[in-house]
Amino acid sequence: MNGVLIPHTPIAVDFWNLRRAGCARLFFLSHMHSDHTVGLSSTWTRPVYCSPITAYLLHRHLQVSKQWIRALEVGESHILPLDEVGRETMTVTLIDANHCPGSVMFLFEGYFGTILYTGDFRYTPSMLKEPALRLGKQIHTLYLDNTNCNPALVLPSQQEAARQIVELIRKHPQHNIKIGLYSLGKESLLEQLALEFQTWVVLSPRRLELVQLLGLADVFTVEEKAGRIHAVDRMEICRSAMLRWNQTHPTIAILPTSQNLYRSHPDIHIIPYSDHSSYSELHAFVAALRPCQVVPIVSRQPYKDYFQDSLSPRLSVPLIPDSVQQYMSSSSRKPSFLCLLLERKLKRLRAQGVVFETLEENADHPQADRDSKKTKNLPGDREKQPSHHPLWTEKQSFPNLCSKEREGTVPSSESQKMVAVLTAPSGFPVHLRSTEEEFLSPETGMEISVGPYLMPRGDSEDLAAAEAAGNQRVWMGQDCPTSQGSKAAHFLAPEFRGLAVKYLLTPVNVLPARFSARGFDQQVEKYHTLLLEYKQESTG
């Protein structure tokens, strides 16, 4: 298992053994290769932070419930709580790792300093141009992919390795080509070969679904005899398979990998096309960042102090804030309700687009400007994709990808999908969205555990049972009469006159998509005044 528990923090990356997780409370997934998902299954019941493509694959192939998946935009900075009271937070930024679809590096910034976890990655100089790294930040700890960290192993660039594969195929114009791959990765290489030789690439239905999601060229098919290039599982490339394939048609097999594999048949060709950084690339990466220390990720790969001449002076071990220590020592198996609510509120202002300027200034910005930005996480242009394309179907499942939400213009109909909605003032139906309808993000929060405490529902007997359990006292401080005709009475008690509490109880769709800070208090007060008037009319 290639994962780490970051010392002196509640952060775990690619680590899914809860018995050994100890104080870890925040779990991150860098990509979906099996050596980074050991222990992650449909029974997982803690929030998992990852990229949107990884989020899709995580639910699709490992059946992890959508209510636990937090899709974070690549290239954006996200604020997450490090305790249950909001005293300590951290910023995490996702950076494309150039490894496989959805793979990312994590840049963590908080009381512990600045930590970069590369996961599996293939270095390119453009990575240093990322805004999060370009600002010259001091990296205190670099968790480095050391898969190919061996000075004796000299690897060509991906472009050079791809050229070698093209030349090999050209030498066999009458042969079928079997390319052995893992279930995820090197899809762009297949696209390049298809365009180079003007032929279809035959895929399995599962991989075809993935390349359609990525928005690659329409050069893939599942029809076995449609093209001469076939992508197969790398375990299929063996002597017996080569003998069988060559009985029907001349065939060669290509294994694009940096591993030193045994060739069981003369028609099996190993080309050093790697999705992991070479030693020279790792050296250039570390020399540019100059971290205080380098920690190897792959334990099975021998690692020496190769980069001592590129390191900055070590810093002292950070002190763990008291609130974070309490959070890390919590014995709860699942995250507490307060922590989940805090995670939601930390991002609520950003999702709703609060701007500290006048309403007149807001009017100067046309709607077209706010809608002009497109998501950068998933490739392709929406206008070029059919409406039923999996890419755009899944975009609806990741609210934090939508440009309207990033720019703060969330339509009322979309808001109702993101939060528990209290419609006013007629009827007061109180309901929660099903947690299986869409993936959740820190920008929108999650709706589990909110119902029993803030959103009473059901008949009067259910509400009476809730009162007996003391749920009303948790939030109101005293019992509150509840009738079957006015289920919203819990929200109208005098104890809720505090603006902060009223804010927590105000549905998102009640507030304008873009509003100024100057008029925020009046908007919240107006909403709760209407509720109070309705209560007086219904009881009168």
Side-chain angles (χ1 to χ4, degrees), residues 191 200 212 215-221:
E191 179 188 43
W200 292 97
Q212 289 176 340
L216 298 180
D218 186 16
V219 293
F220 302 100
T221 181

Side-chain angles (χ1 to χ4, degrees), residues 323-431:
S323 61
V324 180
Q325 288 188 20
Q326 294 176 7
Y327 181 45
M328 294 169 63
S329 63
S330 171
S331 61
S332 174
R333 181 174 177 80
K334 295 182 180 180
S336 70
F337 165 73
L338 287 177
C339 187
L340 295 174
L341 187 62
L342 175 62
E343 174 192 287
R344 171 183 176 184
K345 295 306 173 186
L346 276 174
K347 286 294 184 176
R348 191 169 185 178
L349 292 181
R350 176 175 178 265
Q352 286 303 301
V354 177
V355 290
F356 292 90
E357 56 189 14
T358 65
L359 294 176
E360 291 75 16
E361 291 172 335
N362 283 339
D364 294 336
H365 301 283
Q367 180 70 26
D369 292 341
R370 297 197 297 268
D371 293 342
S372 61
K373 291 186 179 180
K374 302 298 181 180
T375 178
K376 296 180 181 179
N377 288 58
L378 303 179
D381 186 352
R382 182 166 189 170
E383 295 178 359
K384 299 179 182 178
Q385 303 287 343
S387 59
H388 61 277
H389 196 286
L391 171 64
W392 304 112
T393 302
E394 286 306 315
K395 282 191 68 175
Q396 299 173 5
S397 297
F398 297 101
N400 56 328
L401 288 181
C402 301
S403 60
K404 286 186 178 181
E405 186 179 351
R406 292 205 311 271
E407 293 301 307
T409 56
V410 183
S412 174
S413 59
E414 294 181 11
S415 300
Q416 293 175 1
K417 295 180 181 179
M418 293 188 289
V419 298
V421 178
L422 178 64
T423 58
S426 176
F428 295 96
V430 179
H431 64 276

Side-chain angles (χ1 to χ4, degrees), residues 127-188:
M127 289 178 176
L128 299 176
K129 298 179 181 179
E130 289 288 334
L133 297 177
R134 189 175 55 196
L135 301 178
K137 295 177 181 177
Q138 176 63 65
I139 305 297
H140 299 105
T141 304
L142 173 63
Y143 287 89
L144 188 66
D145 173 18
N146 59 308
T147 301
N148 293 329
C149 190
N150 182 356
L153 179 61
V154 179
L155 295 176
S157 65
Q158 286 183 325
Q159 293 75 19
E160 171 60 23
R163 189 192 64 79
Q164 294 179 22
I165 295 175
V166 169
E167 291 300 321
L168 177 61
I169 296 176
R170 282 179 179 163
K171 293 178 181 178
H172 300 81
Q174 304 303 321
H175 286 63
N176 283 341
I177 312 298
K178 304 289 185 179
I179 301 183
L181 305 173
Y182 289 117
S183 60
L184 180 66
K186 298 182 173 68
E187 287 76 17
S188 59

Side-chain angles (χ1 to χ4, degrees), residues 265-516:
H265 190 278
D267 288 331
I268 297 177
H269 302 267
I270 300 175
I271 305 296
Y273 184 102
S274 179
D275 290 325
H276 298 269
S277 303
S278 66
Y279 173 79
S280 61
E281 291 169 342
L282 292 176
H283 197 281
F285 185 62
V286 175
L289 294 180
R290 300 194 63 84
C292 297
Q293 64 173 331
V294 176
V295 179
I297 293 176
V298 185
S299 57
R300 67 178 182 273
Q301 174 67 33
Y303 176 80
K304 301 179 181 179
D305 295 331
Y306 291 121
F307 310 111
Q308 284 299 318
D309 58 340
S310 300
L311 301 184
S312 297
R314 292 281 294 270
L315 300 178
S316 59
V317 176
L319 296 177
I320 306 176
D322 293 340
S323 61
V324 180
Q325 288 188 20
Q326 294 176 7
Y327 181 45
M328 294 169 63
S329 63
S330 171
S331 61
S332 174
R333 181 174 177 80
K334 295 182 180 180
S336 70
F337 165 73
L338 287 177
C339 187
L340 295 174
L341 187 62
L342 175 62
E343 174 192 287
R344 171 183 176 184
K345 295 306 173 186
L346 276 174
K347 286 294 184 176
R348 191 169 185 178
L349 292 181
R350 176 175 178 265
Q352 286 303 301
V354 177
V355 290
F356 292 90
E357 56 189 14
T358 65
L359 294 176
E360 291 75 16
E361 291 172 335
N362 283 339
D364 294 336
H365 301 283
Q367 180 70 26
D369 292 341
R370 297 197 297 268
D371 293 342
S372 61
K373 291 186 179 180
K374 302 298 181 180
T375 178
K376 296 180 181 179
N377 288 58
L378 303 179
D381 186 352
R382 182 166 189 170
E383 295 178 359
K384 299 179 182 178
Q385 303 287 343
S387 59
H388 61 277
H389 196 286
L391 171 64
W392 304 112
T393 302
E394 286 306 315
K395 282 191 68 175
Q396 299 173 5
S397 297
F398 297 101
N400 56 328
L401 288 181
C402 301
S403 60
K404 286 186 178 181
E405 186 179 351
R406 292 205 311 271
E407 293 301 307
T409 56
V410 183
S412 174
S413 59
E414 294 181 11
S415 300
Q416 293 175 1
K417 295 180 181 179
M418 293 188 289
V419 298
V421 178
L422 178 64
T423 58
S426 176
F428 295 96
V430 179
H431 64 276
L432 285 174
R433 175 186 54 75
S434 170
T435 56
E436 286 297 323
E437 286 183 10
E438 60 183 23
F439 294 106
L440 301 174
S441 73
E443 282 80 356
T444 60
M446 60 187 304
E447 304 311 320
I448 64 166
S449 299
V450 177
Y453 292 94
L454 295 181
M455 300 287 181
R457 58 181 300 177
D459 55 26
S460 57
E461 296 179 356
D462 294 336
L463 297 174
E467 287 186 16
N471 288 341
Q472 278 74 24
R473 295 185 179 91
V474 173
W475 291 97
M476 300 174 62
Q478 65 178 28
D479 291 330
C480 177
T482 305
S483 66
Q484 191 169 4
S486 180
K487 296 180 181 180
H490 300 273
F491 300 91
L492 306 177
E495 287 78 4
F496 288 135
R497 288 177 182 172
L499 186 60
V501 180
K502 288 184 178 181
Y503 164 61
L504 290 174
L505 302 180
T506 303
V508 172
N509 64 316
V510 171
L511 303 173
R514 288 183 67 85
F515 53 88
S516 69

